Amino acid sequence: AVPFSSISAKSASRLADGDMPVPYRNLLTQAPVLEPYAVGRAPDGAKVHYYSVTQKAGTAKILPRLSTQILGYNGIFPGPTIDLVQGTRAVLKIRNQLPPTHPVFGYPISTSTHLHGSASLPQFDGYASDVTPVGFAKNYEYPNFQAARSLWYHDHNVHTTAKNAYSGLSAQFRLHDPTERALLPQGEFDVSLTLSDVMFAADGNLAYDDNSFSGLWGDVILVNGKPWPVMKVQRRVYRFRILNASISRSFRPTLSTGEPVHVAATDGGLMPRTQSVESWRHAGAERYEVLIDFSGYQPGQRIELRNLSNKNNIDYDFTNRIMAFDVTDQPVDTSDHTWKTIPQTLASSEVMNLRPARDTRVRKFQVKRDNDVWVIGEDSWEDIIASGFRRVIADPDLGATEIWEFENSSGGWFHPIHIHLVDFQILSRNGRAPFSYEQGPKDVVYVGEGETLRLLMKFGPHRGKYMIHCHNLPHEDHDMMTQFSVGLKPGDVDLNDPMKAAP
Ligand code: C2O
Ligand code: CU
C-alpha cells in the first residue's frame, strides 16, 4: 500500500480522443429482470423461486466506438436484477463457465457469490474461501424473510474480489414488502442507479491499477453500465435506489439545482424518518434510496446529479458529474399517491428500535495497516486461512446485542466497513450523532480518516461464522477481512460451515 498523498492521476484511461465517452450522450438503461425458471413450494409452504445464472465472458458496449470485454452474470454487464417479494425464498444456481484465466488481466478465475444485505446461512453467504472453480456450479438459497431493501449480489472470491467485481460480476437484487409498497413509488418510478468508476486501455478493454492495493480511481463514471447517462423524467416524485458498486471510489452526490433529495432508505431498508439533504457521502457498497421531486421543474430543464469532490478520492475532469435528468412535458402518471408525496414517517425496523443498556457488551477494533496489509483487529484473511478458518475477531451469543467500535488508525485512509449477516444502527460518529442520512438500518459504514464509529446490533438469526471486511475491494483482497462467529462455543462443529472448521 502507498500513502494516499503519493498517488497521482497516472491511472486515467489511455483512450484516443474520439474513443473517450462524452457526458450525457447515452440514455440511462435498466438491467433486465431475471425470471425464475421454476416456482415451487418448500415443505413448510413457503413459495420458492428457482433462478439460474451462468457466469461467462461477454462484451459490453460502453464506449462510442470500441467494445469492452467483461465477465458477467449471464455474460452481461451490469448483471440481471432479481426482484422479489418478502417471504418468497430463492434458490439461485450459479454456474461458473468463465474462462480459466481472465481474458484481460490474466489471473486464474474462481468465484464465490455473496448476496449483500441478506441474512443468509453460512454455506450460502459467499464465504470468500468457499470457491466455485471454472466448470462447477453452486446453488445458493436465500431466505428473504427480511424487510424490503435494496440488495446486490456480487463476487466475493478470495483475493480476487476486486478484479472479479470490477470486470462485471455485480448486479442488483430488490426485495419488496407491503409497507414499502404503500409508501414509495413503484414500477417505472422505482429506478435502480448503480454507480461505478472504471478506466480504459487504448483498445477499449478495462484497465486496472489499484496503486499497490490502495484503491482504483477510474476517470469514467458509469450508471447502470453507461457513461454519464441521461434519464427522461416526468414532473413528479421518483425513487432512486442508488448503489455505489465502485471497487474503491466514494461519491458525494448533489443536485445541480441545489434542491435537497429525500433519503427514505439505507442499506437495510426504510429509515424511521425521511431525511432531506443537499448531499451525502456514499461509500462503496452503501445503498441509499432517495426521493427526488421533479414537479417544480420546467419541461426541457436538465438537472444534473453531480459529485462533489471527496477528500480521499482522486478526482478527474468529469468525475464531478454522475448523470442528468431531462424533464419532459409528458403527462404525469398520477395513478397513486406517491406521485406527489414525500412521506415523512417511514418504518421502525427492529434494529433501529434497539437501545444500548448499561451492561451492553462493547468490543473495540482497530482498523489499521500491519506489515503492509490492511487489517481489522489482529488478523488478515491469510491469518484466518492459516488458522484453518478457526480464528474469529468476536464470538457473540445467538441473539446477543452488542456495541462494536471501530477506530481508524490507518493513516490517511477511509474504509467502508461491512459486517455480514446483521443490520446495525450507527450509534455515534466520533462521539457525536451520525449524519442524518445514516440514521437508518445499515450494513456498511464509512469509517473516515481518524474516525471512531460505534455500531449497535443484534446477532442472529443464524449461528455460524461470517465475514467482516473493508469494502474498498483492493483492501479486502490484501487482506482486510476477518470473521466472527455467532452462537458457537469452542469445539462446536457448525454443519452449515462451508469450511467445516470448529472454532
Ligand atoms: Cu458486498 Cu462481504 O460484501
Ligand atoms: Cu479499507
Side-chain angles (χ1 to χ4, degrees):
V2 293
F4 184 80
S5 52
S6 73
I7 295 176
S8 67
K10 68 179 164 123
S11 40
S13 293
R14 295 199 164 65
L15 293 170
D17 279 355
D19 292 329
M20 188 69 184
V22 174
Y24 313 149
R25 290 276 172 87
N26 292 282
L27 279 183
L28 179 79
T29 55
Q30 290 293 322
V33 172
L34 191 69
E35 293 301 328
Y37 69 83
V39 175
R41 293 267 168 204
D44 64 0
K47 203 170 175 191
V48 187
H49 280 193
Y50 294 87
Y51 297 96
S52 171
V53 159
T54 302
Q55 298 171 316
K56 50 187 182 187
T59 54
K61 194 73 191 129
I62 302 170
L63 300 173
R65 298 196 300 211
L66 300 169
S67 57
T68 305
Q69 297 188 62
I70 54 103
L71 307 182
Y73 296 113
N74 287 346
I76 58 170
F77 168 70
T81 299
I82 296 178
D83 204 297
L84 277 170
V85 176
Q86 181 189 32
T88 301
R89 291 184 203 151
V91 177
L92 175 61
K93 184 182 195 92
I94 302 241
R95 293 168 211 270
N96 181 350
Q97 300 287 347
L98 292 162
T101 54
H102 192 287
V104 182
F105 306 140
Y107 64 91
I109 294 177
S110 57
T111 64
S112 177
T113 305
H114 172 51
L115 178 57
H116 185 137
S118 169
S120 304
L121 284 164
Q123 70 271 45
F124 305 124
D125 196 43
Y127 193 76
S129 295
D130 177 22
V131 301
T132 303
V134 170
F136 287 79
K138 177 172 166 108
N139 281 331
Y140 291 89
E141 298 183 16
Y142 300 126
N144 302 325
F145 62 83
Q146 292 162 296
R149 59 185 62 200
S150 297
L151 307 92
W152 60 306
Y153 58 105
H154 65 79
D155 197 70
H156 217 305
N157 189 69
V158 60
H159 296 325
T160 68
T161 292
K163 283 177 183 153
N164 284 7
Y166 181 73
S167 301
L169 292 173
S170 154
Q172 294 247 2
F173 186 114
R174 299 146 63 117
L175 194 59
H176 293 279
D177 72 17
T179 312
E180 163 268 336
R181 288 241 200 249
L183 287 167
L184 301 181
Q186 303 290 319
E188 69 169 295
F189 308 108
D190 173 6
V191 181
S192 290
L193 301 178
T194 298
L195 316 187
S196 59
D197 65 331
V198 287
M199 59 190 189
F200 292 94
D203 64 359
N205 280 323
L206 296 174
Y208 187 90
D209 181 355
D210 66 11
N211 298 288
S212 313
F213 316 137
S214 295
L216 178 143
W217 283 269
D219 55 348
V220 174
I221 305 298
L222 305 180
V223 184
N224 298 349
K226 291 275 181 280
W228 302 285
V230 176
M231 179 189 173
K232 295 198 186 311
V233 293
Q234 298 176 15
R235 296 203 283 163
R236 55 159 285 157
V237 172
Y238 280 73
R239 166 191 188 179
F240 295 100
R241 301 175 185 249
I242 309 181
L243 157 68
N244 179 2
S246 291
I247 65 169
S248 302
R249 179 180 288 281
S250 66
F251 291 88
R252 187 177 278 282
T254 191
L255 294 177
S256 55
T257 56
E259 296 284 322
V261 304
H262 310 283
V263 185
T266 49
D267 309 330
L270 292 168
M271 308 173 80
R273 294 188 56 75
T274 302
Q275 303 288 341
S276 301
V277 294
E278 277 162 27
S279 73
W280 72 98
R281 186 168 65 182
H282 197 144
E286 286 185 301
R287 287 88 73 211
Y288 287 103
E289 294 188 25
V290 308
L291 302 174
I292 301 180
D293 183 358
F294 294 105
S295 64
Y297 301 123
Q298 294 312 309
Q301 199 173 341
R302 168 168 288 175
I303 295 116
E304 289 177 69
L305 186 65
R306 291 194 183 139
N307 179 27
L308 298 175
S309 180
N310 243 338
K311 188 170 157 54
N312 290 355
N313 271 345
I314 300 288
D315 294 324
Y316 298 97
D317 285 3
F318 288 131
T319 53
N320 59 358
R321 305 185 192 185
I322 299 172
M323 65 175 290
F325 304 101
D326 281 352
V327 180
T328 68
D329 54 7
Q330 247 184 283
V332 176
D333 184 332
T334 58
S335 52
D336 72 65
H337 70 99
T338 64
W339 77 276
K340 62 171 166 68
T341 324
I342 306 287
Q344 293 306 312
T345 301
L346 298 167
S348 54
S349 50
E350 190 190 0
V351 63
M352 295 310 291
N353 286 332
L354 291 177
R355 294 288 170 263
R358 191 163 304 145
D359 59 351
T360 301
R361 175 151 192 184
V362 180
R363 299 185 200 251
K364 298 188 179 186
F365 307 112
Q366 281 201 345
V367 170
K368 58 189 184 216
R369 251 188 38 224
D370 197 8
N371 293 323
D372 242 35
V373 294
W374 307 95
V375 286
I376 303 168
E378 300 314 313
D379 295 327
S380 67
W381 195 253
E382 275 303 323
D383 296 327
I384 299 299
I385 294 171
S387 78
F389 305 100
R390 285 177 175 81
R391 284 183 61 86
V392 292
I393 192 173
D395 57 352
D397 290 336
L398 185 64
T401 298
E402 298 192 354
I403 294 169
W404 286 13
E405 181 184 287
F406 294 90
E407 184 197 336
N408 179 359
S409 46
S410 65
W413 283 92
F414 77 94
H415 306 279
I417 300 294
H418 172 41
I419 306 176
H420 280 228
L421 180 68
V422 293
D423 294 339
F424 54 76
Q425 179 191 140
I426 305 178
L427 281 180
S428 65
R429 187 179 270 294
N430 301 322
R432 287 194 289 273
F435 298 120
S436 64
Y437 56 82
E438 298 178 310
Q439 294 175 10
K442 296 281 294 161
D443 57 37
V444 182
V445 63
Y446 186 112
V447 185
E449 183 179 345
E451 290 189 333
T452 299
L453 270 290
R454 280 198 159 211
L455 315 177
L456 180 67
M457 68 209 105
K458 184 172 170 185
F459 290 90
H462 311 300
R463 294 175 201 278
K465 280 185 254 153
Y466 288 92
M467 299 174 286
I468 168 172
H469 61 90
C470 179
H471 226 292
N472 177 338
L473 299 179
H475 290 193
E476 173 190 326
D477 287 338
H478 302 281
D479 204 19
M480 200 168 187
M481 182 158 73
T482 180
Q483 63 176 353
F484 61 97
S485 66
V486 177
L488 298 177
K489 298 274 166 295
D492 280 358
V493 177
D494 173 19
L495 294 176
N496 291 326
D497 183 340
M499 316 314 283
K500 298 283 182 291

